[in-house]
């Protein structure tokens, strides 16, 4: 791939943790159509896994064809707002499964995917319309923004994190062999789900959302601290990969420990440059092993399975998958 920006840092054992500098305020939208709608599904393809329950949470599970006869690792796949019933998300999970991972894709939204979830039509050129047409389009956009804001209010960090903790806890029982094979749990996330890779990869003060969570994990355990101080928990994953994250703030970087690779979009309004650069700066200063690759000329959401006519986007999609796969395989 051409014109990409790559930054890799190795951790040092005696690093001093610092806090990230505050990112400038931004009025950018929090979700785009690529976060709430799927591209047309590749012809002739469909999900090969199954939707079941794990810890009372609906999940899509995809396994390698030779599992459990051949050892496999456990991978969480955290989706955009389109959720686990999106065929494209299922195909994405299947692709990781074909590479030797037991993939668990949890329903982060309790059966309530983002408004207007469905297939996006291929991009068509727009032509100027009448004032009434323009008014109707603006009204529809305003209504959609309102619906998405209401949806986001229903799916806050306080609601989503406990879902993931239940699934992680259940995975340690249901797929103990895969967790043991990988020496922990891996995670990849797209759009909405990408932010939660950062949260799962961090060490943070214990919050009410963690109540009832089992700490018998190869990757995390509570630390003994003074009685008057909150104990810390995490990281919950061994390594992570995230693609075109949305709604990330500097507070999400604090405590990050797990090595991560980031697929970023150049000039992405969903993840402004100052946020991405703030994350890079934090990881560098705190010696968190990381890799950030910026892809020019592609839309937000491009790394998720879906048809694009532009061969450059098609190539970037393949390159992004290879980047994420290589990272988790090497860690």
């Amino acid at each position: 791939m051409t014109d990409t920006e790559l930054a890799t840092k190795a951790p040092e054992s005696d690093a001093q943790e610092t806090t990230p500098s505050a990112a400038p305020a931004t009025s950018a939208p929090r979700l785009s159509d690529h976060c709430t709608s799927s591209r047309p599904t590749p012809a002739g393809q469909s999900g090969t896994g199954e939707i079941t329950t794990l810890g009372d949470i609906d999940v899509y599970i995809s396994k390698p064809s030779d599992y459990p006869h051949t050892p496999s690792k456990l991978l969480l796949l955290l989706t955009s707002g389109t959720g686990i019933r999106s065929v494209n998300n299922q195909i994405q999970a299947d692709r990781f499964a074909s590479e030797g991972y037991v993939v668990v894709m949890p329903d982060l939204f309790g059966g309530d995917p983002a408004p207007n979830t469905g297939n996006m039509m291929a991009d068509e050129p727009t032509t100027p319309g009448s004032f009434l047409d323009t008014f109707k389009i603006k009204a529809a956009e305003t209504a959609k923004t309102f619906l998405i804001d209401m949806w986001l209010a229903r799916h806050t960090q306080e609601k989503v994190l406990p879902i993931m903790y239940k699934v992680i806890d259940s995975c340690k029982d249901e797929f103990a062999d895969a967790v043991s094979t990988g020496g922990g749990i891996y995670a990849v996330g797209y759009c909405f789900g990408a932010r939660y890779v950062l949260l799962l990869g961090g060490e943070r003060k214990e919050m009410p959302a963690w109540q009832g969570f089992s700490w018998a994990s190869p990757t995390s355990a509570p630390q003994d601290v003074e009685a008057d101080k909150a104990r810390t928990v995490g990281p919950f994953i061994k390594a992570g990969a995230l693609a075109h994250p949305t709604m990330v703030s500097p507070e999400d970087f604090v405590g990050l420990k797990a090595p991560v690779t980031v697929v970023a979009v150049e000039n992405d309004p969903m993840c402004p440059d100052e946020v991405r650069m703030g994350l890079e700066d934090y990881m560098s200063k705190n010696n968190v092993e990381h890799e950030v690759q910026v892809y020019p000329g592609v839309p937000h959401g491009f790394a998720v399975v879906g048809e694009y006519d532009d061969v450059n986007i098609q190539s970037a999609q393949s390159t992004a998958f290879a980047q994420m796969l290589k990272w988790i395989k090497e860690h």
Side-chain angles (χ1 to χ4, degrees), residues 148-303:
I148 289 177
D149 284 346
M150 293 295 290
W151 178 80
L152 287 172
R154 296 195 299 271
H155 301 292
T156 61
Q157 175 178 323
E158 290 72 23
K159 298 289 184 63
V160 175
L161 282 175
I163 291 174
M164 290 193 291
Y165 299 148
K166 283 185 180 180
V167 171
I168 289 172
D169 214 16
S170 297
C171 283
K172 292 183 297 183
D173 292 327
E174 185 72 19
F175 300 111
D177 58 331
V179 175
S180 177
T181 296
I185 294 174
Y186 297 84
V188 297
Y190 299 84
C191 299
F192 182 99
R195 173 178 178 248
Y196 288 89
V197 174
L198 294 177
L199 298 183
L200 291 178
E203 180 182 86
R204 301 170 180 277
K205 290 183 178 180
E206 186 180 25
M207 299 171 60
W210 284 299
Q211 292 178 357
F213 183 73
S214 170
W215 303 108
S217 166
T219 58
S220 63
Q223 298 181 353
D224 293 328
V225 294
E226 298 177 18
D228 61 342
K229 294 182 179 179
R231 65 180 182 179
T232 57
V233 294
F236 297 92
I237 59 174
K238 185 176 180 182
L242 50 153
H244 31 72
T246 61
M247 300 183 296
V248 172
S249 68
E251 289 75 18
D252 299 332
F253 315 158
V254 178
L256 182 62
K257 302 292 183 184
V260 295
T261 186
V262 181
V263 170
V265 173
E266 185 178 53
N267 302 319
D268 186 0
M270 302 298 113
C271 185
D273 289 347
E274 60 266 25
V275 174
R276 172 180 56 79
M277 294 171 67
L279 173 59
E280 292 184 69
D281 184 60
Y282 178 84
M283 293 188 293
S284 297
K285 289 181 178 178
N286 289 279
N287 297 290
V288 178
E289 186 183 1
H290 68 281
E291 172 188 74
V292 178
Q293 187 157 327
V294 179
Y295 291 72
V298 296
H300 181 91
F302 82 97

Side-chain angles (χ1 to χ4, degrees), residues 1-4 264 293-298 302 312 315-317 319-320:
M1 181 165 184
T2 61
D3 300 325
T4 55
Q293 187 157 327
V294 179
Y295 291 72
V298 296
F302 82 97
N312 293 322
S315 176
Q317 192 176 83
T319 302

Side-chain angles (χ1 to χ4, degrees), residues 106-160:
D107 180 2
L108 304 177
F109 316 117
D112 177 35
N116 301 312
T117 290
N119 278 351
M120 298 175 65
M121 299 304 293
D123 296 333
E124 297 180 358
T126 57
T127 56
S130 67
F131 171 80
L132 182 58
D133 289 338
T134 301
F135 177 80
K136 289 179 178 179
I137 291 172
K138 292 297 183 182
E141 290 175 348
T142 300
K144 181 176 180 180
T145 298
F146 174 77
L147 289 173
I148 289 177
D149 284 346
M150 293 295 290
W151 178 80
L152 287 172
R154 296 195 299 271
H155 301 292
T156 61
Q157 175 178 323
E158 290 72 23
K159 298 289 184 63
V160 175

